[in-house]
Amino acid sequence: MSVGFVMLVHEALHRAEEVARHLADHGCPVVIHVDKRVPKDTYLPFVDSLSDLATVKFSKRHTCEWGTWSLVAASQDASELMLDSFKDVRHVYLSSGSCLPLRPINDLIKYLESRPMTNFIESVTTEDVPWTVGGLDAERFTLRFPFSWKRQRKLFDRYVSLQRRLGFKRQIPEGLIPHLGSQWWCLTRQTLSAILGDPDRKIYDTYFKRVWIPDESYYQTLVRLYSNNIESRSLTLSKFDYQGKPHIFYDDHLQLLRRSDCFVARKIWSKADRLYNTFLNTQINPMQGAEPNPGKIDRIFSKAVERRTMGRDGLYMQSRQPAHGQGKGKTSAPYSIFEGFSDLFEDFDQWLSQAVSARVHGHLFAPEGVEFSGNQNVFAGALSNHAALRDYNPCGFLTNIIWNTRGERQCFMFGPRDNQEINWLIATDPNAQISVISGAWAVTLFRSNRNFSDIRREAARLQKIEAEHLDILRSQHVKARVRIWTMADFIDSRMEPLQAIIDEIGPRNVRRLTEAPRMRDLTGFGQFLQNLKNQGMHPHLMGDFPMGPEVENASYERKKPYLVK
């Protein structure tokens, strides 16, 4: 015998039985500690199931809780039983009931036999640890922690704050330099017996009973007193997320685990039948002979952490809403917004859909309801055209449309009549292409059959809304591609801006525009603007548009096609 396993078990006892039997069948003694919270009617059948194996023993039970001394006490009792019962054991390997051997046991035995005096335990000083989560590194050794972090969180936090205010600090036992590391170690008999048999053990135990998470510091600190032959790494593959919680390995991680070349991995899902059937079958397990190298899969886990914290561009869900200033792109793909075009041109959406390869909607944020292309009631991703559903979360509605139609560019109309809650979203979104003909909304009012007093009030309201919108689009925080023309400037040279917009939407479309969309009849529009001005409402967003009956529509003939020279 060269290696014995100490297993700390608290759930999925049937999996712990499989692993214990596998280890014992390959010549490794096993001492199992079962959490005292496991009821007797579950614990006793588990003991009976392994009673046929003389090299499997059970240690004194403790009620274990994360972050407390109980886990150290459980490992101490189990390790003492291992050293007393199996004299031929040279290394003791601490594992959990959710650990799974990845390589043939003989491979691990040969590896340790070639390193008979080496202790494999992660052991670094607090100054060198960048991965502590929770804000307590050096303080875990100088403060007292009599309360459970999980069950008594408020008392835990208040007591820590009280000690900080009072300037309380515990005295670290003489000769100890606090170290931290993974709780899963593999120590030589000589080192482990020295730790457990130290004359000052009572002093050390008393001190560490009030250290926070002592299972990650007790052996990691004391091993430095008894051995200079330490490889500061664990032979057990364990990965943690950004919150300090362990990653769980499932069946689809099979190839990932093989790539690591590690001897043992945790935390394995208890229902991962494929993993257990593969790695506990020496006939089909090809992993052997290689040096353990968990760094091979670090890149994948780094991507997983990034995906967990940052998410996908433009994908939002109940479980991951990024805080302000965090997250990646606001939307997942480029899209185009046209403001004022449907007011100025007849059937502009139809013309645009023929000019570019894109989905063209009407006013998605119109107060009456969502104008999906083709007048659909339900669009991609079961998005309803109901205004109340859309307005519950307008920004989420827009990001959903872009996400649900990835691969197809979306275009839609927008204006001051529409819901304005998306203003900052689109202005700060690099995926947005926003084209604005300011003041064009007045054409729709001009063509409406309403009392002029109502028209004047509505014009004042819409102009105020559009002015605020334009201020946002001109902000220094804007990241969208924004083009703004006054109505007068756009009409003077409409083919040039239309061609620029079309080229940006579909750069592969080399066809040049030869005809503009049909512009609405503007006869009398100049006089309409003058009437608004006469009534005390100053229409300034249209630009230098000719006013008065003498100009009529002479400068804005709409029948001739405009050719690009």
Side-chain angles (χ1 to χ4, degrees):
M1 298 179 186
S2 64
V3 58
F5 280 81
V6 169
M7 294 179 61
L8 306 182
V9 180
H10 70 281
E11 61 182 2
L13 302 188
H14 65 294
R15 290 303 190 188
E17 177 189 350
E18 286 185 58
V19 174
R21 188 170 292 277
H22 175 78
L23 296 172
D25 289 344
H26 289 82
C28 294
V30 182
V31 174
I32 302 175
H33 173 273
V34 181
D35 195 323
K36 203 170 184 177
R37 289 178 295 183
V38 175
K40 284 188 176 181
D41 56 355
T42 302
Y43 170 69
L44 294 178
F46 176 55
V47 175
D48 290 339
S49 67
L50 293 169
S51 59
D52 60 311
L53 298 174
T55 55
V56 176
K57 295 185 178 295
F58 289 83
S59 64
K60 176 185 174 182
R61 300 176 70 190
H62 295 263
T63 301
C64 295
E65 183 175 356
W66 179 87
T68 65
W69 173 255
S70 57
L71 290 171
V72 179
S75 65
Q76 286 177 330
D77 288 346
S79 297
E80 288 176 334
L81 181 57
M82 172 67 73
L83 296 177
D84 293 341
S85 302
F86 304 102
K87 303 298 183 180
D88 294 333
V89 166
R90 181 176 293 167
H91 280 87
V92 177
Y93 198 121
L94 181 65
S95 65
S96 75
S98 62
C99 287
L100 177 66
L102 301 183
R103 293 167 63 168
I105 301 303
N106 289 335
D107 210 20
L108 173 61
I109 293 174
K110 292 178 181 178
Y111 186 84
L112 294 177
E113 284 180 345
S114 64
R115 300 161 177 82
M117 302 304 295
T118 303
N119 295 280
F120 297 92
I121 179 171
E122 194 172 48
S123 174
V124 294
T125 60
T126 56
E127 292 81 5
D128 299 324
V129 175
W131 36 256
T132 54
V133 177
L136 294 174
D137 37 42
E139 282 185 320
R140 68 179 65 197
F141 297 105
T142 59
L143 302 181
R144 291 172 57 87
F145 301 93
F147 301 108
S148 168
W149 185 84
K150 282 195 170 183
R151 292 184 295 103
Q152 302 164 303
R153 183 64 181 272
K154 288 185 178 179
L155 288 175
F156 182 97
D157 291 340
R158 289 175 182 175
Y159 194 61
V160 169
S161 298
L162 177 62
Q163 293 177 87
R164 287 171 175 170
R165 287 199 302 269
L166 296 177
F168 174 80
K169 285 191 176 181
R170 297 178 66 202
Q171 186 68 36
I172 300 175
E174 185 178 356
L176 290 189
I177 300 176
H179 283 67
L180 293 170
S182 169
Q183 72 180 103
W184 311 111
W185 41 256
C186 179
L187 301 178
T188 64
R189 168 183 283 272
Q190 180 179 352
T191 301
L192 183 57
S193 60
I195 293 174
L196 299 177
D198 192 294
D200 294 327
R201 174 179 163 180
K202 186 176 181 180
I203 297 175
Y204 299 147
D205 288 3
T206 301
Y207 168 73
F208 277 99
K209 283 180 181 178
R210 291 294 179 263
V211 169
W212 192 43
I213 319 181
D215 54 304
E216 294 182 356
S217 59
Y218 179 79
Y219 295 98
Q220 293 77 1
T221 298
L222 296 181
V223 72
R224 295 291 177 176
L225 299 179
Y226 308 108
S227 177
N228 292 322
N229 194 351
I230 298 172
E231 286 199 20
S232 184
R233 63 187 176 102
S234 174
L235 297 180
T236 299
L237 173 65
S238 58
K239 294 294 183 180
F240 297 87
D241 63 15
Y242 73 104
Q243 293 177 320
K245 297 178 181 179
H247 281 285
I248 298 176
F249 294 102
Y250 300 94
D251 279 338
D252 53 357
H253 291 120
L254 175 60
Q255 298 303 324
L256 182 72
L257 293 174
R258 279 179 168 170
R259 197 181 309 168
S260 72
D261 292 324
C262 290
F263 290 107
V264 178
R266 77 174 301 272
K267 202 174 186 181
I268 307 297
W269 186 42
S270 61
K271 296 182 181 180
D273 295 333
R274 187 183 179 195
L275 296 184
Y276 281 94
N277 293 339
T278 299
F279 291 115
L280 296 183
N281 186 342
T282 56
Q283 301 300 319
I284 62 175
N285 189 349
M287 293 174 57
Q288 54 185 348
E291 179 71 21
N293 187 7
K296 289 182 179 180
I297 62 176
D298 282 347
R299 178 179 58 85
I300 297 175
F301 277 91
S302 297
K303 286 187 175 181
V305 171
E306 181 183 4
R307 177 63 54 83
R308 175 79 181 276
T309 54
M310 305 297 284
R312 293 180 175 92
D313 288 350
L315 176 62
Y316 303 87
M317 62 191 75
Q318 183 178 5
S319 61
R320 193 201 68 80
Q321 279 289 348
H324 179 70
Q326 296 181 353
K328 289 192 173 181
K330 297 176 183 292
T331 55
S332 60
Y335 58 98
S336 300
I337 302 175
F338 294 86
E339 304 184 23
F341 287 79
S342 59
D343 296 288
L344 184 61
F345 297 106
E346 295 180 3
D347 301 323
F348 178 76
D349 53 346
Q350 297 180 17
W351 177 88
L352 182 62
S353 63
Q354 295 175 0
V356 297
S357 299
R359 172 88 61 165
V360 182
H361 304 278
H363 286 258
L364 292 180
F365 294 89
E368 300 82 11
V370 183
E371 298 176 0
F372 290 126
S373 65
N375 296 319
Q376 300 177 66
N377 293 328
V378 179
F379 192 58
L383 292 175
S384 170
N385 69 343
H386 199 281
L389 293 175
R390 176 203 63 200
D391 293 342
Y392 178 77
N393 185 358
C395 293
F397 178 83
L398 176 58
T399 56
N400 272 337
I401 285 183
I402 307 304
W403 175 264
N404 296 340
T405 57
R406 300 183 305 282
E408 178 188 56
R409 191 181 185 107
Q410 304 298 302
C411 304
F412 66 92
M413 310 299 140
F414 191 70
R417 300 180 188 86
D418 299 337
N419 190 315
Q420 300 293 305
E421 287 191 37
I422 65 168
N423 281 346
W424 276 111
L425 170 68
I426 61 177
T428 56
D429 183 9
N431 281 327
Q433 178 202 31
I434 306 174
S435 303
V436 183
I437 304 176
S438 67
W441 46 265
V443 176
T444 301
L445 283 179
F446 164 64
R447 295 168 53 83
S448 67
N449 185 26
R450 301 171 61 179
N451 292 333
F452 196 79
S453 60
D454 294 336
I455 291 177
R456 183 186 62 79
R457 284 193 295 270
E458 181 67 3
R461 185 183 74 87
L462 296 179
Q463 182 164 256
K464 180 180 179 182
I465 293 174
E466 186 170 69
E468 293 174 351
H469 176 56
L470 294 178
D471 286 343
I472 292 175
L473 295 183
R474 294 186 175 109
S475 165
Q476 60 179 342
H477 305 293
V478 168
K479 295 183 179 179
R481 177 72 172 91
V482 179
R483 294 185 177 93
I484 302 174
W485 303 270
T486 64
M487 182 177 168
D489 291 340
F490 190 90
I491 292 176
D492 276 343
S493 57
R494 53 187 177 275
M495 284 304 297
E496 183 178 347
L498 284 173
Q499 184 69 61
I501 295 171
I502 298 304
D503 289 343
E504 186 170 326
I505 294 177
R508 295 180 181 178
N509 185 3
V510 297
R511 182 172 64 87
R512 303 290 293 178
L513 295 178
T514 59
E515 185 173 353
R518 183 180 181 84
M519 195 166 66
R520 300 187 188 277
D521 188 355
L522 297 181
T523 302
F525 183 70
Q527 181 61 50
F528 170 75
L529 296 180
Q530 184 63 51
N531 291 340
L532 288 175
K533 194 171 184 180
N534 294 340
Q535 292 291 325
M537 185 266 166
H538 180 56
H540 61 88
L541 294 181
M542 299 76 183
D544 189 17
F545 199 96
M547 298 185 185
E550 69 279 0
V551 297
E552 285 297 329
N553 200 34
S555 300
Y556 301 100
E557 174 62 45
R558 65 181 180 86
K559 296 181 180 179
K560 297 180 181 179
Y562 285 76
L563 303 180
V564 177
K565 297 181 180 179

